[in-house]
Amino acid sequence: MGKLPGRRLLPPLLLIVLLAEAPSRWVDAQRCVWYGECGDSKVEGKKYNCDYTGPPRPLDRKGYELLGELCPGLDYGDRGLCCDVDQLKSLKGSLQLPLQFLSRCPACFNNFMNLFCELTCSPHQSQFMNTTQLNGTSVTEVQYYIGQTFANAMYNACKDVQAPSSNVKALSLLCGRDAKDCNATNWIQYMFNIDNGQSPFPIIPIFSDAPVSGYSPMSNKTFACTEGLEDGSGPCSCQDCTKACGPEPVPPPPPPPWTIFGMDAMTVIMWISYSAFLLIFFGAVLGVWYYRKRTVMSEYGPILDSNNPLSLNADNPDQVNASCCETLGECFENALRTLFSSWGSFCVRHPSVVLLGSLIVVVASSGGLVYMRITTDPVDLWSSPSSQARQEKDFFDGHFGPFFRTAQLIITTPINDTFILSPYFGGSDVPFGAILRNDILHQVLDLQLDIESLTATYEGQTVTLQDICLAPLAPYNNNCTILSVLNYFQNSHDVLDHSVGDDFFVYADYHSHFLYCVSAPASLNDTTLLHDPCLGTFGGPIFPWLALGGYDGSNYNNATALVITFPVNNYLNDSVRLGRARAWEKEFIKFMKNFKNPNLTIAFSAERSIEDEIDRESKSDISTIAVSYVIMFVYISLALGHINGFRRLMVDSKISLGISGILIVLGSVSSSLGIFSYCGVPLTLIVIEVIPFLVLAVGVDNIFIVVQSYQRDERMPQEELHQQIGRILGDVAPSMLLSSLSETVAFFLGALSNMPAVRTFSLFAGLAVFIDFLLQISCFVSLLGLDAKRQEANRLDIFCCAKLPEGQETRTDSFLFRFFKKIFAPFLLKEWVRPIIVAVFVGMLSFSIAVVNKVEIGLDQKLSMPDDSYVLDYFKNLTAYLNTGAPVYFVVEDGLNYSSSEGQNAVCGGVGCNNDSLVQQVYIASLIGNYTTVGFTPSSWLDDYFDWVKPQSSCCRYYNTSREFCNASVVDPSCVHCRPMTPAGKQRPQGEDFMRFLPMFLSDNPNAKCGKGGHAAYATAVDVYRNRTGVGATYFMTYHTILKESPDFIEALKMARVLAANITASVGHRVFAYSIFYVFYEQYLTIAHDTALNLSVSLAAIFAVSTVLLGFEVWSAVLVSVTIAMILVNMFGVMWLWSISLNAISLVNLVMCCGISVEFCSHIVRAFSISVKNNRLERAEEALAHMGSSVFSGITLTKFGGILILALSKSQIFQVFYFRMYLAIVLLGATHGLVFLPVLLSYIGPSVNKAKVFSANKRCAGTERERLLNY
């Protein structure tokens, strides 16, 4: 077959046709859709572009620099563009805020500008743009075909970029919704929507990677945030690019509980230990019993056997086989007895001299009360000036000013109502709680405006909120900072009621505005049809987590509470301005107490509230304390006398002596207060409330011992009254000295504590106890002598002039003494009772040891308030509704060189910054906030300064004539950029440039043209040297997560310090964390150690003093110390059972417990040690019979009545830390001293001191006391 003619000519012809069409297609590709500006847009201040379908035109040379500034990654060569200089200027003006926020991340910024540069100027516009509406020559709507891959890549590069000053992601400010709800599609749609106030006409984006309707979507090359750019810019920082961070940090798991067999380890250990003890102890008891039964021999036989060289009944009484220590102890005991006997005799013989001298000393010492200062400042009360938190607080206050004061409302409503918003333009239904109802918000706004208009008076001058409030933009904007949801509506009823709609539908109202503002609180123009600003009237954002409460996650529309905060300026060392602030706060509290609204439930507090309530609580408890002391005074006055019959009631009573004894106690307290007031040591409320109780316990016990020893004693033949009292004092004063000196030394050593409350208490208590002892052995002895003479003369008590006729006197022992001697002591020391006593008390000890590590640490702040305090409601609501913790500042101390790249990289969080910089570490910590307690990304003045000073931004400008700062809102041709649009100018400022522009940044107020001005956010964050040669201390602020209980606050402080230490190590310069509550909670970091140290030192002091004053009987001192230690450990068991936490107040009580326990134990042990009975059992019985009644009546009964009254106090602190702990101290002290200790002494008490026995026999030979001694 032949070929068809012309077939071989077809390919060459097709090629010719294609080649002929190529120039035409190139011309089509180089076609514009607009050029130039030619009409005013409906959007205020914007212009339409002119319709133009011709080829691109060359750009005027005046626009080259601007094109390079806006589109640095696009090289159009010498070809023409579809935009002129005016369009470039409009583009720059519209993109100022995105430029400032997104330029932190070069890849994001590059992709973003690609989108707008291609839209505005690309010579290939016609390939991906279609004009859909014209108005004459003006383009009023276009379609923009965008590659879906490009859009996603742009979004992914930008989604993590931060806005440091706002603690939110930049897209929250640029996407028209919360960053978490933003995606590539709705972000671009928002930017091209005229409702954002920046787009001059609608631009309809169409997303596709494939050609659509003959158009090829714009799909320029994009960069991931982990990639560097071709111009040398580095990848984005971890803070702005999650993918650059590596794997997300995972908090370490909490330490597992210590268990054995699945049960608490301490409980198991103590159960095993207690069981083993019972087995061994009862085995030993039964073994001894069985042995004694078989040998028919007393366990004390070797002692009683006269043939035994150790026997007390040896045939030769003139010889004693005493050891050196026993002889030394007896000599020391004899010296004390002689000294006190002589002194007692002198006091009785010369009462006027002693009383007058004592009065002079007391009055002179108490004169210091004129200089008395009472510390009520909680900082001074709980934090030592040398503590780390206190020094850091002083540093912060000195460099940045003290943390502002606050007045705050937490508002809820009893109305149970939910409104469902169905958005007109589509979307899911949104529920709103009753607290966000329009009528409720109007009522809250009325309340807020009323508070703003409150006036107070201070020193004759009127004080308003405007005079004292925090106004960060003053003097340009004097509006007060009010952190309130109503500030989203400019604190205006009209704005709150602003809505857009028709007769059928509401397109936008306050619901729409609220939803927008909680996602973009720094926005100047919402995207709804309302176009109202979200920024507060004071010029700053209102973060929803600060103004709302009771919501879940970030669903702020579910809020059940409104939080309104009025920050008030605080002042350091300016009493006048501080007084004005306190006067307004007082008026605020008064107003809120009287405010009534059935639809609103309001909890409120001002900065002075806690201090005021504590002061009110102290005054209201004066009556309770007074009643408590009156009961104790009445008991002492009545119980001190021993009535031998109704006829001699007024003769034998000791009312006047009892009152004198009480006055001596009060005199010792006032003397102690006065002496330390002379020295300038301030008092605390704890000192005033606790020390009289303590000294009364110690002093009254000694009074009872002296008086009852005299009442039981019989005067020997030829012995005068002064000799009798001197002899009695010689017997009992060493015991008084033992207890008083032990307590004094223990208290003074307790003053080594770093806790001011404990240190102050210990100082005052130690001196008061010692002065009380001195007055008792002098002044009281003289008074006892005078009272004894009155009684012997049959004169009536109080009415000394009246005299009872002579009559026969029958002396009898008191009921309490007979009870202890005849019933209690014999029963307690029975063979079968003693093992039970030991088992019970060791069981109590084992239980207490098992729970000692379970006692909570901290102080619930609610306990510091009276039961009827309005602050309790505030604390309750604070815990229930607030979702954010206190601000925390990471402070960089002076000395870091911010002008160098090394110094900048060590701190900043943007491109080129170190991965372990300060901002980066805090940011990473915020990702695991449940562990670190850091809730948000930190605000960084340094990163915002770098964005502010960039030449692409319109923020940093100055007048080229005066070199003064020119704000971005100023339109003046003489204003020029601070830095040139050159590669060097685009770098961070260093050296002189850094300090040249920094003051401008810190004085610049944010506005629509520049949202990065640092005046509002950072005016106090940077301490610039006066000569502007450098930067001193600075801080970077974030917030803690919500903290509710004491353990939360303690953990927050601990974790913040760990983070600060890590930052310090990486930066190479000291950085510390500071928050307002650290100074109060620092004590709890070491309180367990401090408690153990204080109590150990006190016990060591008691042991040392007891060893010496018991005649160097080490074993006696050991038993005293062991018993007191048992009391202290059992106190921890009571604290756990009764929910009493360990804090400074309870530590003071434990130190006091240590002192009072000496009174319960030392007298019994000393009486045992000097007893000359035949065996331990008899010596224990004698000690308990003679000293037990005095201790029981002197401390236990005296305190018991007074303590019970404390339960009626309105103060929760009194109920918990005074009533409960005092009751436990008295009951544990009494049971251990009067029940356990005698039993312990009967088993393992020290052997009798043979030298003391020999001396006693020799001293009493030939007297009536010899018969009593042998009996």
Side-chain angles (χ1 to χ4, degrees):
M1 289 181 62
K3 295 181 180 179
L4 293 174
R7 173 64 66 93
R8 64 177 57 187
L9 296 176
L10 185 60
L13 287 174
L14 181 62
L15 179 62
I16 293 171
V17 171
L18 290 174
L19 289 174
E21 289 181 352
S24 174
R25 288 181 178 270
W26 176 254
V27 171
D28 288 343
Q30 295 278 328
R31 189 167 57 81
C32 299
V33 299
W34 61 43
Y35 188 87
E37 296 179 336
C38 59
D40 292 331
S41 166
K42 294 178 181 179
V43 180
E44 185 179 355
K46 303 296 180 180
K47 289 183 176 295
Y48 289 124
N49 291 337
C50 300
D51 179 39
Y52 172 72
T53 57
R57 298 178 181 180
L59 181 66
D60 191 301
R61 288 188 172 276
K62 296 178 182 178
Y64 282 6
E65 182 179 347
L66 190 55
L67 179 66
E69 175 185 337
L70 293 175
C71 309
L74 301 181
D75 181 13
Y76 297 115
D78 294 330
R79 288 174 291 169
L81 300 176
C82 294
C83 63
D84 63 5
V85 175
D86 290 334
Q87 284 178 282
L88 287 174
K89 290 180 179 179
S90 295
L91 176 64
K92 181 177 180 179
S94 298
L95 297 181
Q96 271 307 298
L97 287 179
L99 281 172
Q100 294 156 28
F101 287 109
L102 299 181
S103 59
R104 290 169 49 85
C105 176
C108 165
F109 180 66
N110 178 84
N111 300 340
F112 179 84
M113 292 311 299
N114 245 307
L115 177 72
F116 282 92
C117 287
E118 289 291 328
L119 169 72
T120 306
C121 295
S122 173
H124 314 296
Q125 276 182 343
S126 60
Q127 289 184 347
F128 48 78
M129 288 177 62
N130 176 34
T131 302
T132 54
Q133 286 186 17
L134 293 171
N135 183 8
T137 59
S138 299
V139 177
T140 58
E141 183 181 281
V142 297
Q143 291 176 332
Y144 186 6
Y145 292 85
I146 304 169
Q148 186 67 59
T149 302
F150 175 89
N152 291 338
M154 183 184 79
Y155 169 76
N156 289 331
C158 295
K159 66 181 181 180
D160 297 323
V161 177
Q162 300 288 327
S165 63
S166 303
N167 293 101
V168 296
K169 293 187 184 298
L171 288 191
S172 289
L173 307 174
L174 304 175
C175 191
R177 66 197 72 219
D178 195 278
K180 68 180 179 61
D181 300 321
C182 189
N183 56 45
T185 302
N186 59 28
W187 178 28
I188 294 175
Q189 287 172 341
Y190 167 72
M191 289 190 292
F192 290 160
N193 193 314
I194 61 172
D195 290 336
N196 64 25
Q198 299 299 323
S199 180
F201 49 84
I203 301 171
I204 302 171
I206 298 174
F207 301 96
S208 174
D209 284 331
V212 179
S213 303
Y215 291 92
S216 300
M218 192 279 294
S219 298
N220 283 12
K221 179 182 178 182
T222 56
F223 293 89
C225 61
T226 54
E227 296 178 324
L229 303 187
E230 296 169 352
D231 64 359
S233 300
C236 305
S237 69
C238 167
Q239 186 180 355
D240 298 320
C241 178
T242 303
K243 293 180 179 179
C245 299
E248 186 171 324
V250 178
W258 185 30
T259 59
I260 298 176
F261 309 126
M263 294 182 289
D264 179 70
M266 284 296 293
T267 303
V268 174
I269 290 171
M270 293 318 300
W271 265 114
I272 295 173
S273 302
Y274 182 53
S275 301
F277 169 80
L278 289 181
L279 188 64
I280 296 170
F281 175 69
F282 278 104
V285 169
L286 291 174
V288 170
W289 176 80
Y290 181 72
Y291 173 77
R292 285 167 51 197
K293 185 176 180 181
R294 285 195 60 187
T295 57
V296 195
M297 176 181 175
S298 169
E299 65 176 309
Y300 304 107
I303 299 178
L304 297 175
D305 184 5
S306 59
N307 296 319
N308 192 309
L310 297 178
S311 173
L312 302 179
N313 299 330
D315 294 334
N316 187 357
D318 295 325
Q319 295 181 359
V320 59
N321 298 319
S323 66
C324 178
C325 282
E326 289 178 324
T327 305
L328 181 62
E330 193 283 322
C331 292
F332 185 77
E333 179 84 26
N334 191 54
L336 287 178
R337 180 182 296 106
T338 303
L339 174 65
F340 284 119
S341 295
S342 302
W343 173 250
S345 177
F346 173 82
C347 291
V348 175
R349 285 183 286 115
H350 306 286
S352 56
V353 174
V354 174
L355 292 175
L356 181 61
S358 300
L359 182 63
I360 292 173
V361 171
V362 170
V363 171
S365 300
S366 302
L369 294 175
V370 175
Y371 306 102
M372 181 176 70
R373 292 184 295 114
I374 298 178
T375 298
T376 56
D377 186 349
V379 174
D380 293 328
L381 192 60
W382 304 118
S383 177
S384 169
S386 61
S387 69
Q388 179 182 341
R390 185 71 175 275
Q391 290 180 338
E392 289 170 352
K393 178 184 183 301
D394 293 342
F395 182 95
F396 186 92
D397 292 350
H399 287 78
F400 312 114
F403 194 80
F404 52 78
R405 306 169 69 87
T406 58
Q408 192 171 66
L409 310 176
I410 301 176
I411 305 173
T412 57
T413 179
I415 300 172
N416 188 10
D417 184 20
T418 301
F419 173 77
I420 305 297
L421 173 69
S422 299
Y424 175 78
F425 295 105
S428 303
D429 289 349
V430 182
F432 279 81
I435 196 66
L436 293 173
R437 276 178 25 174
N438 185 270
D439 59 325
I440 296 294
L441 290 177
H442 276 291
Q443 294 173 53
V444 174
L445 180 54
D446 286 334
L447 169 62
Q448 179 180 310
L449 295 174
D450 287 344
I451 293 174
E452 289 184 62
S453 63
L454 285 178
T455 58
T457 303
Y458 179 74
E459 294 184 349
Q461 295 182 337
T462 299
V463 182
T464 64
L465 179 62
Q466 186 69 52
D467 299 325
I468 60 171
C469 70
L470 180 68
L473 297 186
Y476 310 103
N477 179 349
N478 290 319
N479 287 324
C480 293
T481 299
I482 301 176
L483 303 179
S484 165
V485 164
L486 281 314
N487 231 327
Y488 288 151
F489 308 96
Q490 310 303 296
N491 301 325
S492 166
H493 287 287
D494 293 336
V495 177
L496 183 57
D497 285 334
H498 186 196
S499 64
V500 175
D502 54 30
D503 295 337
F504 302 99
F505 298 103
V506 175
Y507 306 133
D509 64 359
Y510 80 96
H511 293 102
S512 320
H513 186 65
F514 171 87
L515 291 174
Y516 178 81
C517 290
V518 295
S519 64
S523 173
L524 292 168
N525 185 357
D526 73 14
T527 58
T528 71
L529 297 177
L530 301 176
H531 298 302
D532 290 329
C534 295
L535 210 63
T537 57
F538 59 93
I542 296 92
F543 299 119
W545 58 82
L546 298 179
L548 295 163
Y551 54 86
D552 56 284
S554 58
N555 299 314
Y556 303 111
N557 48 287
N558 291 334
T560 55
L562 301 181
V563 183
I564 302 179
T565 306
F566 300 88
V568 174
N569 285 317
N570 206 353
Y571 304 99
L572 198 64
N573 303 321
D574 190 336
S575 58
V576 174
R577 288 198 288 179
L578 187 61
R580 288 163 61 84
R582 288 176 60 86
W584 185 88
E585 290 170 357
K586 184 177 181 180
E587 192 65 29
F588 164 79
I589 294 170
K590 179 182 176 182
F591 172 81
M592 289 309 306
K593 283 183 176 180
N594 296 323
F595 180 81
K596 296 290 186 292
N597 185 316
N599 294 327
L600 302 178
T601 303
I602 303 176
F604 64 94
S605 176
E607 191 73 19
R608 64 177 292 163
S609 291
I610 293 178
E611 193 173 335
D612 285 351
E613 289 299 282
I614 290 176
D615 185 52
R616 181 175 73 88
E617 177 182 54
S618 302
K619 291 177 180 176
S620 68
D621 282 324
I622 289 176
S623 58
T624 305
I625 298 172
V627 171
S628 175
Y629 283 122
V630 165
I631 289 175
M632 290 188 283
F633 292 167
V634 170
Y635 166 77
I636 294 166
S637 301
L638 297 178
L640 205 56
H642 173 50
I643 313 301
N644 290 309
F646 182 76
R647 175 176 173 274
R648 294 184 56 82
L649 175 64
M650 291 302 296
V651 174
D652 293 337
S653 71
K654 303 287 183 184
I655 295 176
S656 56
L657 185 63
I659 292 174
S660 300
I662 293 168
L663 292 176
I664 286 174
V665 170
L666 298 179
S668 65
V669 173
S670 67
S671 297
S672 174
L673 301 182
I675 290 172
F676 280 112
S677 295
Y678 277 128
C679 300
V681 179
L683 281 74
T684 64
L685 292 175
I686 289 181
V687 168
I688 297 171
E689 292 165 350
V690 177
I691 286 184
F693 185 92
L694 168 69
V695 180
L696 199 61
V698 175
V700 169
D701 186 37
N702 291 338
I703 288 172
F704 270 85
I705 290 172
V706 173
V707 173
Q708 291 181 355
S709 296
Y710 169 74
Q711 290 171 340
R712 296 170 196 155
D713 187 74
E714 291 187 12
R715 193 177 303 169
M716 292 190 293
Q718 288 83 44
E719 189 178 44
E720 297 182 20
L721 177 63
H722 69 87
Q723 293 172 324
Q724 180 191 12
I725 294 179
R727 174 171 52 78
I728 292 170
L729 189 66
D731 288 338
V732 299
S735 184
M736 296 164 57
L737 177 63
L738 167 62
S739 61
S740 300
L741 191 59
S742 298
E743 292 158 12
T744 298
V745 174
F747 284 136
F748 278 141
L749 288 176
L752 298 175
S753 170
N754 289 326
M755 300 172 68
V758 177
R759 182 172 60 249
T760 306
F761 164 79
S762 298
L763 286 173
F764 282 90
L767 186 58
V769 168
F770 189 67
I771 294 175
D772 184 55
F773 167 74
L774 295 179
L775 292 176
Q776 283 172 342
I777 63 170
S778 54
C779 185
F780 186 76
V781 171
S782 295
L783 292 170
L784 177 62
L786 293 175
D787 189 73
K789 292 176 183 177
R790 172 199 63 76
Q791 189 174 3
E792 289 180 355
N794 278 344
R795 295 187 179 276
L796 302 184
D797 191 17
I798 301 178
F799 309 103
C800 303
C801 298
K803 188 175 182 181
L804 191 71
E806 294 290 338
Q808 188 173 0
E809 179 183 346
T810 305
R811 293 178 62 90
T812 60
D813 291 327
S814 69
F815 167 78
L816 203 56
F817 177 73
R818 294 199 305 271
F819 171 77
F820 268 82
K821 185 172 184 179
K822 301 296 185 182
I823 300 176
F824 182 71
F827 173 79
L828 183 70
L829 297 172
K830 285 182 180 293
E831 287 293 324
W832 63 272
V833 175
R834 290 189 294 157
I836 296 175
I837 295 296
V838 172
V840 170
F841 277 83
V842 173
M844 291 167 53
L845 178 66
S846 301
F847 167 79
S848 298
I849 293 174
V851 301
V852 71
N853 64 329
K854 299 175 181 61
V855 175
E856 287 191 7
I857 292 176
L859 175 62
D860 186 351
Q861 54 188 352
K862 292 190 287 292
L863 291 179
S864 62
M865 296 293 102
D867 286 338
D868 59 349
S869 174
Y870 66 91
V871 181
L872 284 178
D873 290 332
Y874 174 75
F875 285 153
K876 179 182 176 182
N877 286 13
L878 203 65
T879 302
Y881 295 111
L882 258 64
N883 290 67
T884 304
V888 55
Y889 302 85
F890 288 89
V891 180
V892 184
E893 292 190 355
D894 310 53
L896 185 66
N897 184 8
Y898 293 94
S899 299
S900 68
S901 60
E902 293 81 7
Q904 293 171 357
N905 291 337
V907 172
C908 65
V911 180
C913 303
N914 298 341
N915 288 333
D916 59 354
S917 70
L918 183 153
V919 173
Q920 293 285 23
Q921 289 199 50
V922 178
Y923 165 70
I924 292 172
S926 71
L927 300 178
I928 48 175
N930 289 338
Y931 173 70
T932 63
T933 73
V934 175
F936 300 91
T937 302
S939 58
S940 169
W941 66 267
L942 190 59
D943 290 293
D944 274 339
Y945 174 49
F946 292 154
D947 293 339
W948 180 88
V949 82
K950 284 178 180 176
Q952 300 98 317
S953 165
S954 62
C955 293
C956 187
R957 304 189 304 163
Y958 61 86
Y959 294 101
N960 59 6
T961 52
S962 63
R963 317 291 288 184
E964 294 294 323
F965 174 62
C966 176
N967 188 277
S969 60
V970 175
V971 179
D972 190 323
S974 65
C975 291
V976 296
H977 284 288
C978 295
R979 313 199 75 206
M981 187 61 66
T982 61
K986 294 179 182 179
Q987 300 299 314
R988 298 185 203 149
Q990 295 181 6
E992 293 182 359
D993 269 3
F994 183 89
M995 288 309 304
R996 178 184 174 191
F997 304 122
L998 180 61
M1000 298 181 185
F1001 166 71
L1002 296 176
S1003 65
D1004 186 20
N1005 291 328
N1007 54 63
K1009 296 288 184 68
C1010 175
K1012 289 280 186 175
H1015 186 198
Y1018 305 120
T1020 61
V1022 185
D1023 186 18
V1024 179
Y1025 295 146
R1026 289 186 178 180
N1027 53 10
R1028 297 187 175 183
T1029 56
V1031 174
T1034 68
Y1035 68 68
F1036 298 78
M1037 188 192 83
T1038 182
Y1039 290 89
H1040 276 299
T1041 53
I1042 183 63
L1043 310 172
K1044 296 183 177 181
E1045 306 293 341
S1046 283
D1048 300 333
F1049 287 95
I1050 297 168
E1051 185 66 17
L1053 167 58
K1054 190 186 303 181
M1055 295 307 300
R1057 285 193 171 172
V1058 169
L1059 179 56
N1062 292 339
I1063 294 171
T1064 297
S1066 61
V1067 172
H1069 188 81
R1070 184 166 188 266
V1071 176
F1072 67 84
Y1074 169 75
S1075 189
I1076 187 69
F1077 67 86
Y1078 288 0
V1079 74
F1080 303 110
Y1081 284 88
E1082 183 188 40
Q1083 57 180 305
Y1084 302 123
L1085 297 180
T1086 59
I1087 195 165
H1089 172 269
D1090 292 342
T1091 300
L1093 180 62
N1094 269 281
L1095 298 182
S1096 299
V1097 168
S1098 297
L1099 282 173
I1102 291 169
F1103 171 76
V1105 174
S1106 299
T1107 299
V1108 174
L1109 294 184
L1110 286 173
F1112 302 97
E1113 293 187 6
V1114 177
W1115 187 240
S1116 296
V1118 168
L1119 294 180
V1120 170
S1121 302
V1122 166
T1123 308
I1124 295 173
M1126 288 180 65
I1127 294 172
L1128 291 172
V1129 174
N1130 283 327
M1131 278 297 299
F1132 282 99
V1134 171
M1135 289 171 66
W1136 181 78
L1137 284 172
W1138 227 338
S1139 301
I1140 302 172
S1141 56
L1142 179 61
N1143 49 55
I1145 300 174
S1146 50
L1147 178 53
V1148 166
N1149 288 339
L1150 289 171
V1151 172
M1152 184 184 72
C1153 173
C1154 198
I1156 290 183
S1157 298
V1158 174
E1159 293 291 324
F1160 283 110
C1161 300
S1162 61
H1163 297 303
I1164 300 292
V1165 171
R1166 187 178 181 279
F1168 179 88
S1169 71
I1170 64 173
S1171 173
V1172 294
K1173 292 292 183 180
N1174 294 331
N1175 54 57
R1176 290 185 180 91
L1177 193 62
E1178 293 180 6
R1179 290 163 64 202
E1181 186 174 336
E1182 182 188 43
L1184 181 58
H1186 284 81
M1187 274 296 176
S1189 59
S1190 296
V1191 171
F1192 185 73
S1193 58
I1195 300 182
T1196 311
L1197 294 182
T1198 302
K1199 289 288 165 284
F1200 202 72
I1203 290 171
L1204 292 180
I1205 297 299
L1206 295 179
L1208 304 177
S1209 171
K1210 290 183 179 180
S1211 165
Q1212 297 183 85
I1213 275 196
F1214 265 80
Q1215 294 170 10
V1216 174
F1217 293 102
Y1218 294 139
F1219 166 66
R1220 295 181 187 178
M1221 290 197 75
Y1222 284 8
L1223 186 61
I1225 289 169
V1226 171
L1227 293 180
L1228 288 175
T1231 52
H1232 281 77
L1234 301 178
V1235 178
F1236 174 73
L1237 185 56
V1239 172
L1240 185 66
L1241 291 171
S1242 73
Y1243 278 124
I1244 58 172
S1247 301
V1248 69
N1249 187 318
K1250 293 180 286 296
K1252 290 183 180 179
V1253 173
F1254 177 77
S1255 176
N1257 288 332
K1258 190 173 182 180
R1259 188 168 60 252
C1260 299
T1263 67
E1264 178 65 19
R1265 290 179 60 81
E1266 183 180 25
R1267 181 183 64 82
L1268 296 173
L1269 191 65
N1270 292 330
Y1271 178 75

